[in-house]
Structure formats: structure tokens, C-alpha cells
Amino acid sequence: MSEQGKYTRNHPYQSAVLENHLLTDPASEKETRHISLSLEEGMTYTPGDAVGILPTNREWLVTTTLKALGFTGDERVLDHYKVEISLAEAMSSRLTLGKLSRGAVTQYAKLAPETAGLKDMVGPDNKPKAEEYCWGREFVDLVTDFPGVVKEPQQLFNILQRLTPRMYSIASCLAAHPGEVQTAVRVIKYESHGMHRQGVCSGHLGERCPVGGTMPIFLHSNQNFRLPEDTTAPVIMIGPGTGLAPFRAFLEHRQVHGEKGPMWLFFGEQRQALDYLYKDQLLKLHADGVLTKLDTAFSRDQAKKVYVQDRIQERSAEVFEWLERGAYFYVCGDASRMAKDVELALLDAIARGSNCTLEAAQEYLSNMKKQKRYQRDVY
């Protein structure tokens, strides 16, 4: 992966927010938003690329953390590039205040090695205890539970990780939306240890990113997730939830350029009535023949949960038939469970389709990988 053009994570483009609206129904358990951001002339991307967005920590968290530390925020510190800024600015845009890491606990404990409770979380033997403590907590919890440890504001740069950009799969084709980059973002919000929490970047995009405002962004190339060079090659796309994003870009690309390769999408979410992302557009692409086949799995719409991997198994004979015709197979979304389950369903389809052993199916799949016909963008 590489950053493209003159704008990078260290020198982002100040992009105007053109659209920011809900993709899910207000009654949904999830909040997924469509975000459209402006590009400067000359900024380009290819379907499969990502947009990097630089968030800030929410003001409430900065203020609460400063208060817990006993600082005003006016103190002067040197950032990662030795540029002098206020502590408030450093805590807003330079340091990670969200999700507490074990590394932060270890560095914090070094400043007070004899503190009861803190020293019990240091070292490899205490890893489980430290991980249990970090779960669902943020830096403010650590400072509140073990106060008075940080004496100098500059020490925070040794304790906390740098606030990094968040990468989102691009959900648009530049030819279809000139001067824009679009993405789909699931806003993470939850309660833990008696406090309301939110994802750093998704919370920013959900609450503090109004149309007309600006966001610092850059474009990020992903050469390992590309449509086939052969525009007639069939493609199978597995994109549950916001994993749909790059496939919307693929579909728009083939539509705009009049490319005729067959396209098959498997999309999954919780409820059809509340969570069907880009429904009208997908149904129109299907009606127009750009999207040859559309299979959906709405897990909560029936007593037994159904996921994209279940749909792949139901259609295994046809999936194998497409693979034999040279189809490219793409997966985007959750790495921890979905991607593994999809791979097992794919191996099963290959084994059944070619009436072979699982070992032989794995050999078939590794050949697909060598030919770049099996591509994953998982996180």
C-alpha cells in the first residue's frame, strides 16, 4: 500500500464534507453513514483504494482527561516533530486517548513502579490481568484509578500512542463522482464501566462532521485489491456490512466504463428493512444487468441466523461453476470471523464442485491466489 500524490498522513488535504447521511434506518441497532468528501483537482484513486481520515478526540474526553491529570491544557509540549503546541491541542489531535492499550499501562506504571494495582499489570506474566483491565477502558480510566502519576505533560508522549489516521475502503468510482471520494462508515458507540464511549474516527464522522465542514484526508493505494485487467472476467464479491464499500466502487466502475464481465454480489446485514445499505442503487444495478446476481443474507430476519457464508454454501455448485470460468473472488470486511467462515465455505464449494479432498481444494485456492483471483481486504 502506498500514499498517493502530494497529500499524505503527515500533510493531509483539507477536504470539504459534501454529504453525511444515514444509510441505516433510524430504528436500526447500527448507525452506518454515507460520507462524501471533496478532492482537489489532480487527486485520483482506483476502485479498491482507501481514504485515510485524520480524526480528533472528542472535546469532552480531552477536557475530562485533562481534569483527571490536573493540567489546564495551556501547558506547552513538543509534538512528535518537536513542534511546540499546547497540551490541549496535543490531546485533541496528536495522542490516542481512546481504547486503552497494554503498552500505555506499562509506560504509565514505569512512572510509579511501586503503586499497588499498577505493578500487578506489568510484565509478560501479568498480560491476562492487564488485558482484562484494558478491555472497554480508555486512558481517562487509568488516570482516574491511579491518579497523580504524570508530573510533566511531556511524559504523555512516552505513555500514549500517536493518534493515527483511520483507513476506509472507498465506496465510489471517480468517473461516476468527479471530484469526490465516498465511503461508508459504521459509527461505533457503546457503554462500558459506567461511561459512554465511541470510536475515535467513526464517532467524529457521526457527530462532528457536518456538511460544509472540513476533514483532513489523503488517498491510499491498495494494489492488492483490484478488478481484473480482463474486463470480461466474472467477479464474485463478498461484502457484508460496510464491507460492501469497495464493491459499490467496482460496480460503478464497470457501469460507467461499459465493462461487460458478469458480477455476483453476496451482501449481509442484520435486518432487510433497517440495514440494507445502498439498497435502491444495488437493485437498479441488478435490474440494469450490471450486477448479474445478487444474494442477500439478513441474519435477524428469521429464527435461525443466516450469514453470507451460508448463502455461499447454498449456491456452492454455481460458485464453483463461476470459478471454473475464471471468476475472481473478493472478500471485504471483518477478519476475525467472517473472512475465515467465508474461506471455509469457499473451500467446501471447491471440494464439492470438483469432488475432491479438502487438501486438493486448498491447492486449487492457492493457485487462485497465485493468479490474483482470490483477493481480500479484511480488518
Coordinates of all heavy atoms in Angstrom, one line a residue, residues 108-139:
Y108 N 2.9 3.8 31.8 CA 2.4 4.6 32.9 C 2.9 4.1 34.3 O 3.4 4.8 35.1 CB 0.8 4.5 32.9 CG 0.1 5.5 33.8 CD1 -0.1 6.8 33.4 CD2 -0.5 5.0 35.0 CE1 -0.8 7.7 34.2 CE2 -1.2 5.9 35.8 CZ -1.4 7.2 35.4 OH -2.1 8.1 36.2
A109 N 3.0 2.7 34.4 CA 3.5 2.1 35.6 C 5.0 2.4 35.8 O 5.4 2.4 37.0 CB 3.2 0.6 35.5
K110 N 5.7 2.6 34.8 CA 7.2 2.9 34.9 C 7.4 4.2 35.7 O 8.4 4.4 36.4 CB 7.8 3.1 33.5 CG 8.2 1.8 32.9 CD 8.9 2.1 31.5 CE 9.1 0.7 30.8 NZ 9.6 1.0 29.4
L111 N 6.4 5.1 35.7 CA 6.5 6.4 36.4 C 6.1 6.2 37.9 O 6.4 7.1 38.7 CB 5.6 7.4 35.8 CG 5.9 7.8 34.3 CD1 4.8 8.8 33.8 CD2 7.3 8.4 34.2
A112 N 5.5 5.1 38.2 CA 5.1 4.8 39.6 C 5.2 3.3 39.9 O 4.2 2.6 40.1 CB 3.7 5.3 39.9
P113 N 6.5 2.8 39.8 CA 6.7 1.3 39.9 C 6.2 0.6 41.1 O 5.9 -0.6 41.1 CB 8.2 1.2 39.7 CG 8.8 2.5 40.0 CD 7.7 3.5 39.7
E114 N 6.0 1.4 42.2 CA 5.6 0.7 43.4 C 4.1 0.8 43.7 O 3.6 0.3 44.7 CB 6.4 1.3 44.6 CG 7.9 1.0 44.6 CD 8.2 -0.4 44.3 OE1 7.6 -1.3 44.9 OE2 9.0 -0.7 43.4
T115 N 3.3 1.4 42.8 CA 1.9 1.6 43.0 C 1.2 0.3 43.0 O 1.2 -0.4 42.0 CB 1.3 2.6 42.0 OG1 2.1 3.8 42.0 CG2 -0.2 2.9 42.2
A116 N 0.5 0.0 44.1 CA -0.3 -1.2 44.2 C -1.4 -1.2 43.1 O -2.0 -0.2 42.9 CB -1.0 -1.3 45.6
G117 N -1.6 -2.4 42.5 CA -2.6 -2.4 41.4 C -2.0 -2.2 40.1 O -2.2 -2.9 39.1
L118 N -1.1 -1.2 40.0 CA -0.4 -0.9 38.7 C 0.7 -1.9 38.4 O 0.8 -2.5 37.3 CB 0.2 0.5 38.7 CG -0.5 1.7 38.0 CD1 0.4 2.9 38.0 CD2 -0.7 1.3 36.5
K119 N 1.5 -2.2 39.4 CA 2.6 -3.1 39.2 C 2.2 -4.5 38.9 O 2.9 -5.3 38.4 CB 3.6 -3.0 40.4 CG 3.1 -3.4 41.7 CD 4.2 -3.3 42.7 CE 3.7 -3.7 44.1 NZ 4.8 -3.5 45.1
D120 N 0.9 -4.8 39.3 CA 0.4 -6.1 39.1 C 0.0 -6.3 37.6 O -0.5 -7.4 37.3 CB -0.9 -6.4 40.0 CG -0.6 -6.1 41.4 OD1 0.5 -6.2 41.8 OD2 -1.6 -5.8 42.2
M121 N 0.1 -5.3 36.8 CA -0.3 -5.4 35.4 C 0.9 -5.3 34.5 O 0.7 -5.2 33.3 CB -1.3 -4.3 35.1 CG -2.7 -4.5 35.8 SD -4.0 -3.4 35.1 CE -3.6 -1.9 35.8
V122 N 2.1 -5.4 35.0 CA 3.3 -5.2 34.2 C 4.0 -6.5 34.0 O 4.0 -7.4 34.9 CB 4.3 -4.2 34.9 CG1 5.6 -4.1 34.1 CG2 3.6 -2.8 35.0
G123 N 4.6 -6.7 32.8 CA 5.4 -7.9 32.5 C 4.6 -9.0 31.9 O 3.3 -9.0 32.0
P124 N 5.3 -9.9 31.2 CA 4.6 -11.0 30.5 C 3.7 -11.9 31.3 O 2.6 -12.3 30.9 CB 5.7 -11.8 29.8 CG 7.0 -11.3 30.4 CD 6.7 -10.0 31.1
D125 N 4.1 -12.1 32.6 CA 3.2 -13.0 33.4 C 1.9 -12.3 33.8 O 0.9 -13.1 34.1 CB 4.0 -13.3 34.7 CG 5.2 -14.1 34.5 OD1 5.4 -14.6 33.4 OD2 6.1 -14.2 35.4
N126 N 1.8 -11.0 33.7 CA 0.6 -10.3 34.1 C -0.2 -9.8 32.9 O -1.1 -9.1 33.0 CB 1.0 -9.1 35.0 CG 1.5 -9.5 36.3 OD1 1.1 -10.5 36.9 ND2 2.5 -8.8 36.8
K127 N 0.2 -10.4 31.7 CA -0.5 -10.0 30.5 C -2.1 -10.2 30.6 O -2.8 -9.2 30.3 CB 0.1 -10.7 29.3 CG -0.5 -10.3 28.0 CD 0.1 -11.1 26.8 CE -0.6 -10.7 25.5 NZ -0.1 -11.6 24.4
P128 N -2.5 -11.3 31.0 CA -4.0 -11.5 31.1 C -4.7 -10.5 32.0 O -5.8 -10.0 31.7 CB -4.2 -12.9 31.7 CG -2.9 -13.6 31.4 CD -1.8 -12.5 31.5
K129 N -4.1 -10.2 33.1 CA -4.6 -9.2 34.1 C -4.7 -7.8 33.4 O -5.7 -7.1 33.5 CB -3.8 -9.1 35.3 CG -4.5 -8.4 36.5 CD -3.6 -8.4 37.8 CE -3.8 -9.8 38.5 NZ -3.1 -9.7 39.8
A130 N -3.6 -7.4 32.7 CA -3.5 -6.1 32.0 C -4.6 -6.0 30.9 O -5.3 -5.0 30.8 CB -2.1 -5.9 31.5
E131 N -4.7 -7.1 30.2 CA -5.7 -7.1 29.1 C -7.1 -7.0 29.6 O -8.0 -6.4 29.0 CB -5.5 -8.4 28.2 CG -4.3 -8.2 27.3 CD -4.0 -9.4 26.4 OE1 -4.6 -10.4 26.5 OE2 -3.2 -9.2 25.5
E132 N -7.4 -7.7 30.7 CA -8.7 -7.7 31.3 C -9.0 -6.2 31.8 O -10.1 -5.7 31.6 CB -8.8 -8.6 32.5 CG -10.2 -8.8 33.0 CD -10.2 -9.6 34.3 OE1 -9.3 -10.4 34.6 OE2 -11.2 -9.5 35.0
Y133 N -8.0 -5.6 32.3 CA -8.2 -4.2 32.8 C -8.4 -3.3 31.6 O -9.3 -2.4 31.7 CB -7.0 -3.7 33.6 CG -7.1 -2.2 34.0 CD1 -7.9 -1.9 35.1 CD2 -6.5 -1.2 33.3 CE1 -8.1 -0.6 35.5 CE2 -6.7 0.1 33.7 CZ -7.5 0.4 34.8 OH -7.6 1.7 35.1
C134 N -7.7 -3.4 30.5 CA -7.8 -2.5 29.4 C -9.1 -2.7 28.7 O -9.6 -1.7 28.0 CB -6.7 -2.8 28.4 SG -5.1 -2.3 29.0
W135 N -9.8 -3.8 28.7 CA -11.0 -4.1 28.0 C -12.1 -3.1 28.3 O -12.5 -2.9 29.4 CB -11.5 -5.5 28.3 CG -12.7 -5.9 27.5 CD1 -14.0 -6.0 27.9 CD2 -12.8 -6.2 26.1 NE1 -14.8 -6.3 26.9 CE2 -14.1 -6.4 25.8 CE3 -11.8 -6.2 25.1 CZ2 -14.5 -6.8 24.5 CZ3 -12.2 -6.6 23.8 CH2 -13.5 -6.9 23.5
G136 N -12.5 -2.3 27.3 CA -13.6 -1.4 27.4 C -13.2 -0.1 28.2 O -14.0 0.7 28.5
R137 N -11.9 0.1 28.4 CA -11.4 1.3 29.2 C -10.6 2.2 28.2 O -10.1 1.8 27.2 CB -10.6 0.9 30.4 CG -11.4 0.4 31.6 CD -10.5 0.3 32.8 NE -11.3 0.0 34.0 CZ -11.6 -1.2 34.4 NH1 -11.2 -2.3 33.8 NH2 -12.3 -1.4 35.5
E138 N -10.5 3.5 28.7 CA -9.7 4.5 28.0 C -8.7 5.1 28.9 O -8.7 4.7 30.1 CB -10.7 5.6 27.4 CG -11.7 5.0 26.4 CD -12.7 6.0 26.0 OE1 -13.4 6.6 26.9 OE2 -12.9 6.3 24.8
F139 N -7.8 5.9 28.4 CA -6.7 6.5 29.2 C -7.3 7.2 30.5 O -6.7 7.1 31.6 CB -5.9 7.4 28.4 CG -4.7 8.0 29.2 CD1 -3.8 7.1 29.8 CD2 -4.5 9.3 29.3 CE1 -2.7 7.7 30.5 CE2 -3.5 9.9 30.0 CZ -2.5 9.1 30.6

